[in-house]
Amino acid sequence: MSGRNTFYTTTPIYYVNDVPHIGHAYATLACDVMARFKRLDGFDVHFLTGTDEHGQKVEKAADAAGMSPQAFTDKVSQSFRDLVGVMNYSPDNFIRTTEKRHYASCQALWEKLVASGDIYLGKYAGWYSVRDEAFYAEDETTVGPDGKRRAGPVNNEVEWVEEPSYFFKLSAWGDRLLEFYEKNPRFIAPESRRNEVISFVKGGLQDLSVSRTSFSWGIPVPGDPKHIMYVWLDALTNYITECGYPDESNPLWRFWPADVHVVGKDIIRFHCVYWPAFLMSAGLVPPKRVFASGWWTTEGQKISKSLGNAIDPVAVTQEFGVDPVRYFLLREVPFGNDGDFQRRALIGRLNADLANAYGNLCQRVLSIVAKNCGSVVPPKGTLTDEDNALLGRAKGLLAAVRAEIDEQAFHRALIAIWEVIADANRYVDAQAPWALAKTDPVRRDTVMWVLAETIRRVTLLVQPFMPESASKILEQLAVPQEARAYVAFDQELVPGAALPKPQGVFPRYVEPAKAAS
RNA sequence: GGGCCCGUAGUUCAGCGGUUAGAACGAGCCGCUCAUAACGGUUAUGUCGCAGGUUCGAAUCCUGCCGGGCCUACCA
């Protein structure tokens, strides 16, 4: 294989009972930025996203739609696949849990768990609400004056249900999990999630029911096909299915263990408790890190179906452009926190950070070069302390951004880049190249070279966040495709290279005039 | 009930024991004119949720209270 370092990142696989909204877009975006950064940084990268297509809910939704489950999931899965294009993601593959190879992988994993003695046949019993399709613990139920037992958000009637089920001996894994967390402090991020998971495990683990007989849309248990595997066992396994499991000679197996699973904060437990337990039981290494992203609200309100206030990625990107939306999502909120999607804040970021600070910097520099330096990279003369100060900060950016990306601190990476952009704008004013044009054109050329070179470095680092816009700017600097990876970070602009006519990349957003009514 | 986060300028946040509490955006004023009415400089605003305590010294540590959010397992 390649001798390069590998980097494997995954999104949650999205459950096909929902249409994609900004929350889905967000988790995948984080992975996309990491994947793009690591590719540019010379890593052998694999970036996986996909859909989770089994389970009772899907079976019922398909039935209600008068479709076969397969036809139904084909349809809904496509809307998530379309999001890849809408948001300009760069996954290496889009996995579906209905793929044949995934059945084989899950069944192989199951057999490993059996061989380890961690699976046994028992009986799953509990108070079940048909309306909610959920089991409730005894203390979650109440008996009303009519003698009927009820539970759940709308207090639906529950009945005692018993069904045979296979169990995973999770109860035996508590100490080993705690030891694993202890030895791998980076395994769960952010910190508060780590605390939650540890306290959950310390509270004692019960065995986990890992098969159902109440529906059939799923992966049959080997040797007992009446039983369908618990959807989470099925879903989590996608991450190793992709690497070829159980065939460890598959070339993609080099990517396991994954470097970062990005997940929503609601599914942290499945990824941080069940998943490492399954893997260790099967003799596999758990992933290196699970990062829980927060939730987005809309203009201060929770996203809810009844309010219909979910942000549609297609609509926002059409209105504001893909790159500004990508920038906003990662800059506005520290990754791991909850965020509020405010239209006003998005416009503020677009205008202040992109159009004014960065876009205008490129424009003012490139138009001087075009008008006064003959549309070529200007000659680099003797550098002053001011020149070296600015260039030095631009050079330092790669290491700084790399460190932030490795912590999934995307907002801090962007802050670091934008500090250099602000420095560059200050430098333009301090050097006043328009005045130098009359007094010292040689010095003016050097100033313009320093600026162009600074924009080159900044833009190389902007690439993972805003690929399309960065590419346009690099074209205007005549940086060839092969000089855009970080191995070429120190490959300075060569004076004399011809430059195309500059063009604005981030137009200001002006609220359209209200139509007369 | 138990546990974990959080509450700092209009807004988003940084600071997490030590000089007059910071940044960005937004607002005012000044400058510049290369540029996307962009850029730079500058000013202003805060009982650092409340009340106690520890300390020579607390936004920063401890306790209590108030307010917000999350976790507390088998729908995913």
Side-chain angles (χ1 to χ4, degrees):
Chain A
M1 258 11 61
S2 145
R4 292 184 298 168
N5 289 325
T6 58
F7 183 82
Y8 179 29
T9 186
T10 69
T11 74
I13 49 172
Y14 301 110
Y15 200 58
V16 292
N17 66 345
D18 200 3
V19 292
H21 58 67
I22 209 72
H24 303 107
Y26 186 51
T28 312
L29 174 59
C31 293
D32 186 58
V33 169
M34 285 191 281
R36 287 177 184 273
F37 182 90
K38 290 291 178 182
R39 287 187 196 114
L40 289 166
D41 209 19
F43 283 73
D44 178 18
V45 170
H46 200 73
F47 165 24
L48 179 68
T49 185
T51 43
D52 178 12
E53 308 188 0
H54 288 135
Q56 193 169 25
K57 282 196 179 179
V58 173
E59 190 178 72
K60 289 201 169 164
D63 196 46
M67 300 169 87
S68 72
Q70 186 64 58
F72 179 80
T73 55
D74 285 350
K75 182 171 166 250
V76 186
S77 176
Q78 187 58 41
S79 65
F80 283 91
R81 198 182 286 263
D82 291 344
L83 193 59
V84 169
V86 169
M87 293 294 295
N88 195 14
Y89 299 138
S90 61
D92 292 291
N93 194 25
F94 187 100
I95 196 170
R96 300 181 54 185
T97 55
T98 45
E99 291 174 38
K100 274 221 164 59
R101 60 173 179 146
H102 182 63
Y103 279 60
S105 168
C106 286
Q107 292 183 332
L109 182 69
W110 180 280
E111 278 165 353
K112 280 280 189 188
L113 302 182
V114 170
S116 297
D118 278 325
I119 297 265
Y120 63 91
L121 184 60
K123 205 185 278 177
Y124 186 66
W127 295 103
Y128 184 77
S129 158
V130 179
R131 298 284 298 268
D132 298 346
E133 296 170 21
F135 280 94
Y136 292 97
E138 178 110 13
D139 60 12
E140 288 178 296
T141 64
T142 49
V143 180
D146 56 357
K148 287 181 174 165
R149 191 176 284 270
R150 295 166 196 280
V154 286
N155 236 14
N156 285 318
E157 203 173 318
V158 293
E159 55 185 310
W160 186 253
V161 170
E162 289 186 7
E163 62 177 64
S165 168
Y166 286 95
F167 282 81
F168 177 78
K169 277 189 201 162
L170 189 63
S171 58
W173 283 90
D175 290 342
R176 280 174 284 185
L177 284 167
L178 289 170
E179 189 191 344
F180 175 71
Y181 304 145
E182 181 72 26
K183 286 188 178 156
N184 298 278
R186 284 178 48 81
F187 176 62
I188 310 169
E191 197 65 28
S192 58
R193 300 295 158 206
R194 180 179 152 81
N195 295 341
E196 268 176 26
V197 169
I198 289 174
S199 94
F200 174 78
V201 174
K202 279 190 174 158
L205 296 172
Q206 298 167 22
D207 288 350
L208 186 67
S209 162
V210 288
S211 77
R212 297 293 142 83
T213 53
S214 50
F215 63 96
S216 61
W217 180 238
I219 300 178
V221 165
D224 196 351
K226 292 189 307 296
H227 287 261
I228 298 299
M229 284 186 206
Y230 175 43
V231 229
W232 270 106
L233 177 55
D234 164 353
L236 289 163
T237 303
N238 92 85
Y239 303 128
I240 55 173
T241 296
E242 177 67 6
C243 297
Y245 190 78
D247 175 13
E248 299 189 10
S249 69
N250 186 304
L252 290 177
W253 190 253
R254 71 185 186 278
F255 289 111
W256 193 258
D259 291 85
V260 189
H261 289 320
V262 171
V263 302
K265 66 181 182 183
D266 55 328
I267 55 173
I268 194 82
R269 199 178 58 236
F270 303 100
H271 285 81
C272 295
V273 180
Y274 304 166
W275 184 223
F278 294 155
L279 287 166
M280 289 192 281
S281 172
L284 294 170
V285 187
K288 293 180 197 160
R289 187 165 166 93
V290 176
F291 194 105
S293 71
W295 288 138
W296 282 94
T297 51
T298 304
E299 308 292 344
Q301 289 189 306
K302 279 197 175 173
I303 292 173
S304 78
K305 281 187 182 153
S306 54
L307 284 173
N309 62 347
I311 299 286
D312 172 11
V314 175
V316 220
T317 54
Q318 265 172 7
E319 183 170 14
F320 296 101
V322 176
D323 282 346
V325 171
R326 289 173 60 112
Y327 176 81
F328 171 75
L329 290 173
L330 293 177
R331 174 62 186 81
E332 186 68 6
V333 176
F335 196 58
N337 289 11
D338 289 342
D340 187 33
F341 197 103
Q342 288 182 282
R343 187 184 164 82
R344 213 171 56 188
L346 169 57
I347 293 170
R349 289 284 172 204
L350 206 178
N351 285 341
D353 296 357
L354 300 182
N356 296 354
Y358 183 37
N360 183 57
L361 172 70
C362 297
Q363 190 68 11
R364 67 198 299 213
V365 168
L366 290 168
S367 65
I368 293 177
V369 170
K371 287 179 195 160
N372 302 294
C373 304
S375 284
V376 298
V377 174
K380 167 191 179 186
T382 313
L383 298 181
T384 65
D385 288 351
E386 289 82 4
D387 301 346
N388 283 319
L390 181 61
L391 290 169
R393 282 192 289 270
K395 277 181 201 172
L397 227 33
L398 175 56
V401 170
R402 183 185 282 138
E404 301 297 9
I405 296 277
D406 284 339
E407 296 297 321
Q408 291 78 47
F410 305 108
H411 73 298
R412 286 211 302 263
L414 290 168
I415 287 169
I417 297 170
W418 257 256
E419 274 169 6
V420 176
I421 289 171
D423 286 339
N425 271 318
R426 271 188 288 275
Y427 173 91
V428 180
D429 278 42
Q431 300 298 322
W434 49 91
L436 290 171
K438 294 161 195 151
T439 58
D440 189 351
V442 173
R443 171 65 193 151
R444 190 269 320 274
D445 287 350
T446 300
V447 165
M448 298 321 293
W449 181 86
V450 168
L451 282 164
E453 170 61 12
T454 300
I455 293 173
R456 183 190 68 89
R457 288 193 129 102
V458 161
T459 305
L460 288 180
L461 291 167
V462 167
Q463 291 181 97
F465 298 91
M466 299 189 282
E468 223 171 283
S469 307
S471 174
K472 284 183 191 161
I473 294 167
L474 291 171
E475 272 162 39
Q476 297 186 30
L477 288 170
V479 177
Q481 205 65 48
E482 61 274 16
R484 296 182 186 181
Y486 299 143
V487 66
F489 190 66
D490 289 325
Q491 199 172 302
E492 296 182 336
L493 287 173
V494 180
L499 299 179
K501 186 166 182 266
Q503 263 188 329
V505 170
F506 298 108
R508 273 184 76 79
Y509 179 86
V510 182
E511 200 79 49
K514 293 251 188 331
S517 52

